[in-house]
Amino acid sequence: MEKHFTLPLLLILSIFSSCQNEEDTLPPFPSTVLGTWEMVGFNDYLKLDYVTSFQFDADGTYTYSSTLREKDSDLDLGFNFLETGTFRAGSEKNLIRLARTDFLHKPYGAEKQFYAKEELDKGFVEPNSEYPLRFEIRDNGNTFFIPGGIVGGDVLVPDKFFERRK
């Protein structure tokens, strides 16, 4: 009687132990992405630097923002947008999954070029939604590269190069 009970029990245990959640098999997020990354350009019309940045923190949170600064300054004058959320490793190397928790943007019909965080409008955030971000770390860890491509079948997105902020 014990033999008949033991065999089915072993079979059931082996089935449940072989089932794993995808999150259990994912590697931890790559520590090479941790830190602040900036892409800086100069706007001739405004005579200001526009800065797009990612900040990835060790606690698994990120900030993605667009600000304006005086030329060659580190002091942000204000925001165009500000996104915050969490990130985790993706199922492939050089892939992280971002889950947006907050998105703030310039008011529609904006009269100013940049705004304080408190003046930004709250945008819609899809609950429980993640999106993939493919990247490469280049130049001995000093460049966070996001490859561009065709999106939606007809929109060409350029490659983006973010430099590590020291």
Side-chain angles (χ1 to χ4, degrees):
M1 180 81 170
E2 250 182 68
K3 287 183 182 178
H4 296 305
F5 180 70
T6 307
L7 186 59
L9 182 60
L10 287 174
L11 183 60
I12 290 171
L13 288 175
S14 67
I15 290 172
F16 282 112
S17 66
S18 66
C19 295
Q20 285 186 336
N21 197 342
E22 178 191 344
E23 289 182 17
D24 294 340
T25 61
L26 291 177
F29 57 82
S31 62
T32 55
V33 304
L34 297 180
T36 301
W37 304 89
E38 292 184 341
M39 183 172 57
V40 180
F42 185 72
N43 184 306
D44 286 324
Y45 176 74
L46 298 174
K47 302 294 185 211
L48 295 171
D49 282 340
Y50 59 90
V51 181
T52 305
S53 66
F54 271 105
Q55 180 177 327
F56 296 101
D57 295 322
D59 65 357
T61 60
Y62 78 92
T63 302
Y64 178 46
S65 64
S66 172
T67 60
L68 291 171
R69 298 179 182 161
E70 295 291 337
K71 184 162 178 51
D72 300 322
S73 171
D74 285 338
L75 180 63
D76 291 325
L77 300 172
F79 292 94
N80 289 308
F81 72 83
L82 175 64
E83 175 181 320
T84 58
T86 60
F87 72 101
R88 65 183 181 94
S91 56
E92 304 167 26
K93 183 180 178 187
N94 295 340
L95 176 73
I96 53 179
R97 302 197 58 80
L98 304 177
R100 184 184 296 161
T101 55
D102 208 10
F103 181 69
L104 306 171
H105 58 83
K106 286 188 343 184
Y108 292 108
E111 297 174 8
K112 302 187 303 186
Q113 296 300 321
F114 52 86
Y115 289 81
K117 180 179 177 180
E118 301 77 31
E119 297 176 299
L120 296 172
D121 285 349
K122 191 168 183 72
F124 175 74
V125 174
E126 184 73 39
N128 303 319
S129 179
E130 288 185 327
Y131 60 96
L133 178 65
R134 294 192 183 287
F135 70 94
E136 294 175 22
I137 301 296
R138 295 182 172 180
D139 304 321
N140 296 318
N142 293 312
T143 302
F144 182 74
F145 170 72
I146 301 175
I150 298 175
V151 178
D154 61 350
V155 176
L156 182 61
V157 175
D159 292 341
K160 295 178 182 174
F161 297 86
F162 294 80
E163 292 181 17
R164 184 180 293 280
R165 184 156 189 224
K166 307 255 183 221

